[in-house]
Each structure stands twice: as structure tokens, then as C-alpha cells.
Amino acid sequence: MTAETPQSILDEAWGHIPQTHETTAGMGSFTRIRVERIISVAAGLGSLVLGAQALVTALGPSEELPAWHLPLLVATFAPLAAMILACLVGRGVRFTAGTFAIVYIAALAVWPLATQGSTPAPTDEPWIWYLVNIATLAAVLAFPLPLQLVWTIVAPLLFGLVRLIQGGFGPEDLWIAVALDVSFALILGGVLLSLGWVFRSVAANVDRTRARAVDSYAAAAAADAAEAERVAVAALMHDSVLAALIAAERAETPRERSLAVGMAREALTRLANTEQDASEGSDEPTDAATVADEIERSSRELGIRLVAERTIDPEGAAIPGRVGRALALAAAQAIANAVQHADGRGLAVAVRGVSHPAAVRIDVRDTGGGFALEEVPDDRLGIRGSIIARVAAVGGTARIDAGEVGTTVRLEWREEEP
């Protein structure tokens, strides 16, 4: 038997999350990748609208010298088009956005040369104005936070400076218009920068919380698997190996020898099927009648011909196969205990099964000398491991009532109602 590793359990937990190229790109960036995609698509659509407005303005009367007009348009709008396309398809966003952010600053730097000799109208905005906040948005997509902050401040201020240089730092109307344009660009750029930071921070926190939750689940599942493995190994060792060895060592009468032979046969069978029986069998549905048949078969292997008293719903109580197997094994252990410690006096088994909801109850009774469960040494696993823990592992309960005369072991399992 091999317990599941924490990594295998983590992989199983991760398998419940829809798997795509983006989700598997990084376990700790599940939400961040989607937020980045949303930001890039929104940035692409916004840049498309503002870029189209800038292009329409640029194709009209221009302030640049004829020798500068076409090269400046191509140098500015080609990287912008590449950035928009990259944002919409989700490939190469950082590179193209970073390229446009740098190209735009360069275009602003040469603007006074390109417009030398022209006088700007305070009420008219040049086409390059419409791209100020696209440059800020490009920086948000491409650069780390400090550089984003630099672009958000520098791009509007540089636009205002070159606009004033173009107009010879006058008249007063130009100063007012430039101040309004710069203020608007700074405010909008600050909003874009803040939104990008907030969305990314929230996404990162969600990813960290999600990763911690998956790690916690993996640790808990690993601990549960290890405990289930411990119980299964303890039950196997006690039921099939130690019990057979003890019975063989104590066998003196023909009946005791027959019992030891049956227990040894069961031990060999279970040891041979350890891997297949690691979880007490499959989950293929069974019923109370089959459980009763299994208990009778196990008793015959112990050298006892025992007929279970059956009170079973005619419709049958369908239960998971592993539950039925666990109940049958626990009942068989209770029978073996009664034979070993009470000489099988008054031994009887009753099986009750009902449907709607499915439930099974098994009573194993004897009239031998009773015992106190709390006085049983901790290293004795027959009751704690092979009966109580085994039934609890499949969602059932085991109750042991022992008096001065007689012991009753009651095993119950009930289907959880939806």
C-alpha cells in the first residue's frame, strides 16, 4: 500500500480548476493572468478609439513642416497599431506597448523642430495631444510601477512644455489652454495608473489566498491519506497476520487448528491483494444481503458455521461497495474476537437493511465474559483499528456494549440525505 504524496493530492485539487493555456502558465498567477488579459483588451479598445481620433486629426491641416509630417506620422502610428493589435490578440503586449511609450516621448521631443515657425491656436489640439494618455496606458501595460509613475507625470508635462516652446511661451490664452490640457492628462493618467495598480494588487492577493487554500487542502488531504493508510495497515496486520500467528501458536484442539488454518488462508489472500484492496474494495454498489453473505463466508473460513439473521428491505438497500466491504470485515473481526476471547458462546449475527435512505445495521452478539474497552491496551488493534476506525473511515459508526456477561458490537452506516 502506498499513501498519496502531497504533490499528487495537490495535482488532484488543481485538476478541479478549468485548465487552459493561461491557467497552467503559473499556479500562482491564475487570476493575475486573466486580469492582465482584461486590462490589455480594454487598453486595446480604448487606444483604438483615441488613435483613430488622432489619425483623423493628423490627416487634416497639420502644424508640422511638410518634411516632418509623414515620417512623424509613420514613426508614431505604426508602433501604436502594433500595440493595439497585440492587446487584442493577447501576444507581445509588453514589447509593443513599451515600444510605443518610448516612441511617443521621442515624438514629443522632436515636436518643436517639426513645427518650427508655426503658431499654435490655443483652441485647437494637435493630433499628438490625443495620444498623451495612450502613452500612459502603454506604460501601465509594459513597465513596472515606478516607470509607470514617471510616464504618467512626464508625458503630460513634456507635452505642455513642447506646446509652449512651439508658441514661444505666449500668449496668455495659450498658457491657459496648455495648463488645462496638462491638468486633464495628469488626472486621467493618474486614474489609469491607479486602476491598473488596484486590479493587479487584488488579483495578486486572490492568487496568494487561492494558493494557500490549495496548499492547506493538500496538507489536510495528505494527513487524511496517511491516517487512512495507517488504519488500513494496522487493520491488515491485526486481522490477517498477527491474529493468524497467535491462533496458530495457541491451537491445541482440532477446532482451534481449523480456525488457525482459516485465518492463515485469509491472511495470505489479503496480503496478495494488498494493492487492489487498499481501500477496502471498489465502490461498485452492493446491498445488505451481499454483506450478510460475506459475513457468513468469513465465519466459515474461521471454522464456524454461522447463519446471519436477516431483516432486509425487499427493495434492497444499495450501498457503496467499499462500505459493504468495510462493514463485512469489521463484523468478521468481531466474530473472530468472540471466538478467541469468548469461545464463541452464544455467538449470533443480525443484519438489517433498509432503503430510502439506504442504511445497514449489523449486530454481533456473544454471551461470553465481557470486558471494559478503556482497559484494552493501546497496542491492541483488533477493536480500535479493525472495527471502530475501519467503519469510521467509510462514514459509519461502531458501538461496543460489553457487560459482565456478553458483548454486543453494533455496526451502522446510513446514507447522507441530500
Side-chain angles (χ1 to χ4, degrees):
M1 277 179 274
T2 303
E4 292 182 273
T5 64
Q7 183 60 46
S8 68
I9 297 168
L10 184 61
D11 292 340
E12 178 186 355
W14 196 254
H16 294 292
I17 300 169
Q19 299 295 301
T20 64
H21 172 77
E22 289 83 359
T23 62
T24 55
M27 192 185 84
S29 56
F30 183 84
T31 307
R32 176 67 181 268
I33 289 173
R34 277 157 176 70
V35 167
E36 289 292 344
R37 183 73 184 113
I38 293 171
I39 291 175
S40 65
V41 171
L45 294 175
S47 299
L48 180 62
V49 173
L50 292 177
Q53 187 177 5
L55 182 60
V56 170
T57 303
L59 294 178
S62 62
E63 299 177 359
E64 309 96 275
L65 298 174
W68 281 91
H69 181 63
L70 184 58
L72 197 58
L73 286 184
V74 173
T76 304
F77 283 96
L80 176 60
M83 185 188 86
I84 293 173
L85 181 61
C87 287
L88 295 180
V89 301
R91 296 288 186 276
V93 175
R94 286 181 178 273
F95 175 77
T96 54
T99 300
F100 174 74
I102 295 172
V103 166
Y104 181 77
I105 295 298
L108 282 179
V110 301
W111 185 258
L113 295 176
T115 58
Q116 190 174 14
S118 64
T119 302
T123 57
D124 294 336
E125 306 291 355
W127 61 265
I128 202 169
W129 150 252
Y130 297 101
L131 305 180
V132 173
N133 287 122
I134 296 183
T136 300
L137 194 55
V140 171
L141 293 174
F143 302 144
L145 186 60
L147 285 180
Q148 295 175 27
L149 185 60
V150 170
W151 248 258
T152 301
I153 297 174
V154 168
L157 292 180
L158 184 59
F159 169 80
L161 178 61
V162 299
R163 192 76 168 142
L164 290 176
I165 292 174
Q166 178 188 354
F169 293 95
E172 183 179 349
D173 289 347
L174 179 62
W175 280 84
I176 295 174
V178 169
L180 291 175
D181 289 344
V182 171
S183 299
F184 176 80
L186 286 171
I187 293 172
L188 182 56
V191 171
L192 294 174
L193 175 64
S194 299
L195 287 175
W197 177 79
V198 168
F199 287 142
R200 284 167 171 165
S201 297
V202 170
N205 288 333
V206 169
D207 283 330
R208 282 194 294 270
T209 302
R210 178 174 172 274
R212 284 196 298 269
V214 173
D215 288 342
S216 298
Y217 168 82
D224 180 71
E227 177 62 16
E229 186 76 3
R230 186 193 67 79
V231 170
V233 169
L236 173 61
M237 291 298 295
H238 180 276
D239 296 359
S240 302
V241 180
L242 295 180
L245 292 174
I246 292 172
E249 189 271 335
R250 294 178 178 176
E252 295 180 356
T253 67
R255 182 182 180 187
E256 289 173 344
R257 294 190 187 96
S258 176
L259 173 62
V261 170
M263 295 177 69
R265 185 183 299 113
E266 174 71 11
L268 292 174
T269 301
R270 293 193 64 194
L271 285 173
N273 296 327
T274 296
E275 292 297 329
Q276 293 80 4
D277 198 33
S279 298
E280 305 290 17
S282 69
D283 245 354
E284 184 177 351
T286 186
D287 54 28
T290 303
V291 172
D293 292 340
E294 181 67 18
I295 293 172
E296 292 177 352
R297 185 194 64 79
S298 298
S299 68
R300 287 194 298 271
E301 291 184 353
L302 294 174
I304 303 169
R305 294 199 174 274
L306 187 65
V307 177
E309 177 187 342
R310 307 185 185 205
T311 307
I312 300 175
D313 191 328
E315 296 182 6
I319 60 176
R322 60 187 178 86
V323 173
R325 177 65 174 160
L327 293 174
L329 286 172
Q333 180 60 41
I335 293 170
N337 287 348
V339 172
Q340 289 181 6
H341 303 297
D343 200 26
R345 292 194 299 273
L347 182 60
V349 176
V351 178
R352 182 173 182 268
V354 298
S355 348
H356 313 303
V360 177
R361 189 181 79 190
I362 302 171
D363 290 326
V364 179
R365 298 184 296 271
D366 68 69
T367 57
F371 68 97
L373 181 60
E374 61 274 10
E375 295 178 1
V376 177
D378 292 340
D379 60 350
R380 300 299 298 273
L381 304 175
I383 295 176
R384 293 187 177 90
S386 301
I387 297 178
I388 298 176
R390 170 176 278 148
V391 176
V394 294
T397 60
R399 191 179 73 190
I400 299 173
D401 296 323
E404 294 182 0
V405 178
T407 299
T408 299
V409 178
R410 172 165 292 181
L411 312 174
E412 290 186 281
W413 178 87
R414 184 176 298 276
E415 182 181 32
E416 293 184 2
E417 297 186 20

